[in-house]
Amino acid sequence: ICLLQINFVACQLFALLAAFWFRIYLGPSHASSAVRHAFATLFGIYFAVFCFGWYSIHLFVLVMMNYGIMNMASIPNIHRYSFVVAMGYLTLCHISRIYIFHYGILTTDFSGPLMIITQKITTLACQLHDGIGRQAEELTAEQNRLAVKSRPSLLEYLSYLLNFMSIIAGPCSNYKDYIAFIEGRHVHMKLLEVNWKQKGYDRLPDPSPTGAVMYKLCVTLVSLILFLTLTKNFPMGYIIDNEFLDKTPFLSRLGYLYVVTQAAKPKYYFAWTL
């Protein structure tokens, strides 16, 4: 395990602690939306720089390019331009990693967060196009729920794309859901879906996240144990060993390759779940 991977896990764990602090001391009842947006953005930028060093500039360049497109492009074309620029930049970065650097850059490279940001940029652009450029009757129920009716401010845009809760390993959330979380309306929105008034609530209950967090931490622990155990017993490097290539039957090599790829998966489940 290299230092870069340790930095990655340290950022993930610190983000979990920061999220508890964020919920308790900067909750919607204690701080304004602007303060919550600013805190989430600054911590997210710090995590990106800490994990990826100067490579993190790619994240910031992509975000600012698409903020310009979001404000200058016409609504009928905003989703097309955003998609082309975001996917094009991501593609160029992948090509440079393969053909220029020959994968010789960070083990925990910046392409993971770049893919997440690309998802968010294109998702928001499509939802903005739905909200401003189309009539409500043209949309499905889900499109109507997620449609964004006005262009986000710079702070809202940066917070959505770079917040410390998702910049390292995701997930890609919808813009309206994220804004509802920042403004403290997310519980209200979810309980409306289960008809909370019909169940006798006089006020919206405030559910505790502790149980869900503990469950997720248990999943991450199991994933980590599986990864460390399986990769030790089925090393990836063995597939290019000369003796393995020359003396092992083809079907056995194929079977071992399948086992090796499965053994590598818990690493990603660990990161995504955490």
Side-chain angles (χ1 to χ4, degrees):
I1 298 177
C2 69
L3 180 61
L4 296 170
Q5 291 172 319
I6 293 172
N7 288 348
F8 180 88
V9 174
C11 274
Q12 290 279 71
L13 293 173
F14 190 72
L16 179 61
L17 296 176
F20 271 105
W21 189 89
F22 188 65
R23 176 178 180 270
I24 296 168
Y25 296 104
L26 284 183
S29 59
H30 298 102
S32 67
S33 296
V35 171
R36 284 166 61 80
H37 277 306
F39 179 88
T41 303
L42 292 174
F43 258 57
I45 291 172
Y46 173 76
F47 285 169
V49 173
F50 181 79
C51 268
F52 309 111
W54 73 268
Y55 293 107
S56 60
I57 196 71
H58 290 291
L59 310 179
F60 310 141
V61 167
L62 179 59
V63 168
M64 295 312 299
M65 282 196 306
N66 277 273
Y67 182 72
I69 290 171
M70 188 189 68
N71 282 281
M72 292 186 291
S74 62
I75 290 298
N77 294 310
I78 191 171
H79 56 312
R80 296 188 180 96
Y81 294 155
S82 296
F83 173 80
V84 169
V85 170
M87 189 61 73
Y89 194 87
L90 175 64
T91 302
L92 288 175
C93 286
H94 275 304
I95 290 173
S96 68
R97 286 179 61 238
I98 299 169
Y99 294 106
I100 299 176
F101 295 102
H102 302 289
Y103 293 108
I105 58 175
L106 297 178
T107 305
T108 52
D109 68 87
F110 64 92
S111 64
L114 201 64
M115 286 188 279
I116 296 161
I117 288 175
T118 299
Q119 283 182 289
K120 288 185 176 183
I121 286 171
T122 52
T123 297
L124 175 56
C126 288
Q127 292 168 351
L128 197 58
H129 174 257
D130 288 342
I132 302 177
R134 301 175 68 188
Q135 299 297 320
E137 52 269 18
E138 299 175 355
L139 306 176
T140 65
E142 184 71 359
Q143 286 174 320
N144 260 314
R145 184 182 76 81
L146 297 174
V148 179
K149 304 294 184 181
S150 62
R151 288 180 169 92
S153 67
L154 177 60
L155 180 59
E156 290 170 336
Y157 193 75
L158 293 177
S159 177
Y160 172 59
L161 295 177
L162 301 175
N163 69 81
F164 74 92
M165 294 158 281
S166 65
I167 189 170
I168 301 297
C172 173
S173 57
N174 291 301
Y175 177 77
K176 284 186 75 172
D177 290 337
Y178 178 73
I179 294 299
F181 161 72
I182 289 292
E183 296 177 354
R185 296 182 286 105
H186 58 300
V187 174
H188 175 78
M189 289 172 61
K190 290 298 180 184
L191 290 177
L192 283 179
E193 296 175 9
V194 296
N195 301 316
W196 63 276
K197 286 184 178 179
Q198 297 178 12
K199 297 188 177 183
Y201 292 118
D202 295 325
R203 53 184 290 276
L204 293 174
D206 187 17
S208 170
T210 306
V213 172
M214 295 305 296
Y215 169 75
K216 294 290 185 180
L217 285 175
C218 289
V219 173
T220 61
L221 181 61
V222 171
S223 299
L224 182 61
I225 292 172
L226 284 174
F227 171 69
L228 295 176
T229 303
L230 292 174
T231 52
K232 183 178 180 180
N233 293 325
F234 301 96
M236 180 77 72
Y238 187 54
I239 63 176
I240 58 172
D241 181 81
N242 288 331
E243 183 178 352
F244 175 76
L245 292 172
D246 295 337
K247 298 182 179 179
T248 307
F250 172 75
L251 289 179
S252 297
R253 279 183 282 153
L254 197 63
Y256 186 82
L257 184 61
Y258 177 79
V259 171
V260 165
T261 56
Q262 298 305 310
K265 285 183 178 181
K267 173 176 66 175
Y268 300 100
Y269 298 146
F270 167 82
W272 293 332
T273 305
L274 186 55

